[in-house]
Amino acid sequence: AQSVTQLDSHVSVSEGTPVLLRCNYSSSYSPSLFWYVQHPNKGLQLLLKYTSAATLVKGINGFEAEFKKSETSFHLTKPSAHMSDAAEYFCVANTGGFKTIFGAGTRLFVKA
Amino acid sequence: DGGITQSPKYLFRKEGQNVTLSCEQNLNHDAMYWYRQDPGQGLRLIYYSQIVNDFQKGDIAEGYSVSREKKESFPLTVTSAQKNPTAFYLCASSIAGSGNQPQHFGDGTRLSIL
């Protein structure tokens, strides 16, 4: 069965330190992978997507993610956290068609 | 600006009442989706539509109904049969035909029981 696992429900970092949000997927086929961010009482905003081109994907707001097929991972990183990065982040997979699989989300806290 | 508009932002339902959540998009997307979000959980698909006058049940369609009479509009009705409707509802749209296209989301409607 296809699945997306976000390994941490909560991550806390200090402002100016690196961010790492972990995501593993399980799929029989090479999926398209996405990271979205959700601020309170808002919809999801696309950060970046992987669709079998370059394995290192750069997104908005300084975020990037690396697709590692051997590890079935698609971790999201940012070199230096900002207070405005505090939000919930969703890793999402799609193996074709209309079936989209959402991870349970990781809430990022940024301390001043 | 192109985007998705959901209304109302907050909605309250009385026992035995049906309520309808509005979703309008001006992105010219063929596909539209409704999701339910509960605290600490990912999004769960209620219904989706690939094209006008066609829609399919998602994972949790019981107690909900939809229509797709126009390309721009995909309203969701929460019926009295949905016994636990309190949640955050998100509408999304995408270019149809391929899973490598991202979905664009509205800002949601929060539904509560009176």
Side-chain angles (χ1 to χ4, degrees):
Chain A
Q2 299 156 8
S3 65
V4 173
T5 303
Q6 292 185 240
L7 298 168
D8 306 291
S9 59
H10 299 86
V11 170
S12 182
V13 301
S14 297
E15 191 174 24
T17 64
V19 175
L20 170 63
L21 305 183
R22 299 181 295 165
C23 173
N24 284 91
Y25 68 92
S26 172
S27 173
S28 302
Y29 308 97
S30 292
S32 294
L33 295 164
F34 309 85
W35 275 100
Y36 289 85
V37 61
Q38 184 182 32
H39 292 276
N41 294 312
K42 292 288 188 180
L44 278 66
Q45 179 187 13
L46 179 70
L47 281 177
L48 49 83
K49 69 175 184 178
Y50 166 78
T51 56
S52 75
T55 57
L56 182 63
V57 182
K58 293 189 183 299
I60 62 171
N61 300 335
F63 284 96
E64 62 182 38
E66 186 173 7
F67 174 71
K68 292 186 177 181
K69 187 173 182 178
S70 61
E71 299 176 10
T72 62
S73 69
F74 190 57
H75 301 335
L76 182 70
T77 60
K78 182 174 181 177
S80 176
H82 191 272
M83 295 297 289
S84 60
D85 294 328
E88 186 140 26
Y89 293 79
F90 291 94
C91 181
V92 179
N94 189 304
T95 55
F98 294 88
K99 184 60 177 175
T100 299
I101 304 163
F102 289 80
T106 297
R107 185 162 294 280
L108 176 65
F109 297 94
V110 182
K111 298 175 290 186
Chain B
D1 288 337
I4 298 183
T5 302
Q6 290 187 242
S7 62
K9 192 167 180 65
Y10 300 95
L11 187 58
F12 298 91
R13 196 192 87 171
K14 296 179 181 178
E15 291 290 337
Q17 186 182 43
N18 293 352
V19 292
T20 297
L21 285 60
S22 170
C23 177
E24 303 278 333
Q25 55 101 356
N26 60 5
L27 298 167
N28 201 33
H29 287 166
D30 285 308
M32 297 188 74
Y33 313 79
W34 273 106
Y35 294 94
R36 171 179 171 139
Q37 185 176 26
D38 293 282
Q41 298 188 34
L43 277 63
R44 293 184 289 168
L45 182 65
I46 305 173
Y47 270 97
Y48 66 95
S49 168
Q50 303 176 44
I51 198 168
V52 174
N53 293 322
D54 181 67
F55 48 83
Q56 308 293 328
K57 292 183 178 179
D59 300 318
I60 55 165
E62 186 175 349
Y64 300 97
S65 66
V66 293
S67 63
R68 186 86 187 276
E69 296 177 2
K70 297 186 300 182
K71 186 176 186 178
E72 304 80 26
S73 179
F74 191 41
L76 173 74
T77 296
V78 184
T79 74
S80 57
Q82 173 49 246
K83 298 306 180 186
N84 183 24
T86 298
F88 191 51
Y89 291 87
L90 287 163
C91 179
S93 70
S94 71
I95 298 170
S98 174
N100 66 3
Q101 295 297 330
Q103 295 182 20
H104 298 253
F105 287 82
D107 279 342
T109 293
R110 188 166 297 280
L111 176 62
S112 302
I113 293 293
L114 279 178

